[in-house]
Amino acid sequence: MYFLLGVAATGTGEFIREGVRKPYIVYNFVLGNNVLVSQVPSLRATGYLNGGIWTKALVRTTHPTVIGSDGNIMDSALAGLSATDRTGIGRVLFQYHCNDCHSERGFSGIAELTRGWNKEMIHTVVTHLDKAHFFMPPWCGTATEAAILTDYIMTLSAPSPSGMKFSSFPFSVQESFTAQKTGKER
Ligand code: HEC
């Protein structure tokens, strides 16, 4: 009995804590993906993977060919990787940029959240996270990294339930979706 009460109390507390946290761990200072707000512009320019001690060390071990003579990950080399290597890098991006709040499948699972989405829809949300939902941090990587993460999410994304003829909709679902997600740019 007391155990159940304890579970209920902890669950409620965690739910509220999760709800109030929003995109920040510390408001206006540290984002939910453990990145400082002040770091976002440089991460977008030089790469999310380059910006993290562990991400950089990991990529250096798993994909040494993308490391330049200055010891940094070369964005152009990432773009030229094989599909299998892109999946590996995409997974690292997911683990370090999204996994604090999302799992791959299950609770807040990205597979379920992107059910039936096409590549363009996923890419739109990846590059406009904070516009899609205000409680997500802004995208903190390069355009190449966004493309690689999009491809990775495509490998997870669950298909739409079968038996429904989505193609017979009288309007383009994707067009209205993209307009909705990007139209509120300020
Ligand atoms: C600070 C926490 C946080 C981080 C970090 C985060 N998200 Fe989210 N995201 C959420 C929450 C909360 C939702 C609302 C859906 C839910 O209940 O999980 C959401 C929703 C989504 C959705 C569904 C959007 C829609 O319109 O239906 C997608 C897709 C998504 N996130 C992708 C990502 C990706 C990709 C990353 C990493 C690049 C990421 N998120 C990082 C908290 C986060």
Side-chain angles (χ1 to χ4, degrees):
M1 178 62 194
Y2 284 118
F3 175 73
L4 287 179
L5 279 176
V7 169
T10 312
T12 311
E14 286 297 303
F15 186 79
I16 292 169
R17 196 169 64 87
E18 186 72 26
V20 296
R21 190 182 320 138
K22 299 295 171 345
Y24 296 106
I25 293 172
V26 179
Y27 264 39
N28 299 326
F29 193 67
V30 186
L31 290 161
N33 53 345
N34 289 297
V35 159
L36 300 180
V37 174
S38 59
Q39 289 177 309
V40 176
S42 70
L43 290 174
R44 282 188 172 176
T46 57
Y48 195 72
L49 299 172
N50 258 326
I53 296 169
W54 298 112
T55 49
K56 199 163 157 179
L58 184 60
V59 173
R60 198 175 280 159
T61 314
T62 56
H63 297 83
T65 56
V66 304
I67 305 297
S69 52
D70 60 357
N72 286 326
I73 299 162
M74 298 182 292
D75 201 59
S76 55
L78 283 181
L81 287 174
S82 71
T84 317
D85 286 336
R86 284 171 74 90
T87 303
I89 297 283
R91 184 146 203 263
V92 176
L93 283 166
F94 181 80
Q95 297 292 345
Y96 286 86
H97 201 318
C98 321
N99 192 227
D100 285 331
C101 307
H102 296 288
S103 55
E104 291 182 346
R105 294 181 188 79
F107 183 72
S108 201
I110 214 75
E112 292 84 8
L113 286 169
T114 60
R115 173 181 287 256
W117 290 18
N118 66 18
K119 191 168 167 173
E120 197 182 338
M121 290 161 76
I122 293 174
H123 186 257
T124 300
V125 171
V126 164
T127 51
H128 299 82
L129 296 167
D130 53 325
K131 300 281 191 307
H133 282 297
F134 71 92
F135 32 67
M136 285 200 267
W139 170 245
C140 304
T142 65
T144 312
E145 288 174 328
I148 290 175
L149 179 60
T150 300
D151 285 350
Y152 178 62
I153 294 174
M154 281 292 287
T155 69
L156 301 173
S157 175
S160 296
S162 58
M164 295 184 199
K165 290 199 170 103
F166 291 107
S167 58
S168 64
F169 281 176
F171 59 90
S172 163
V173 176
Q174 185 192 313
E175 268 170 29
S176 62
F177 176 92
T178 307
Q180 185 199 333
K181 294 299 182 202
T182 57
K184 289 182 225 149
E185 295 272 4
R186 286 188 191 116

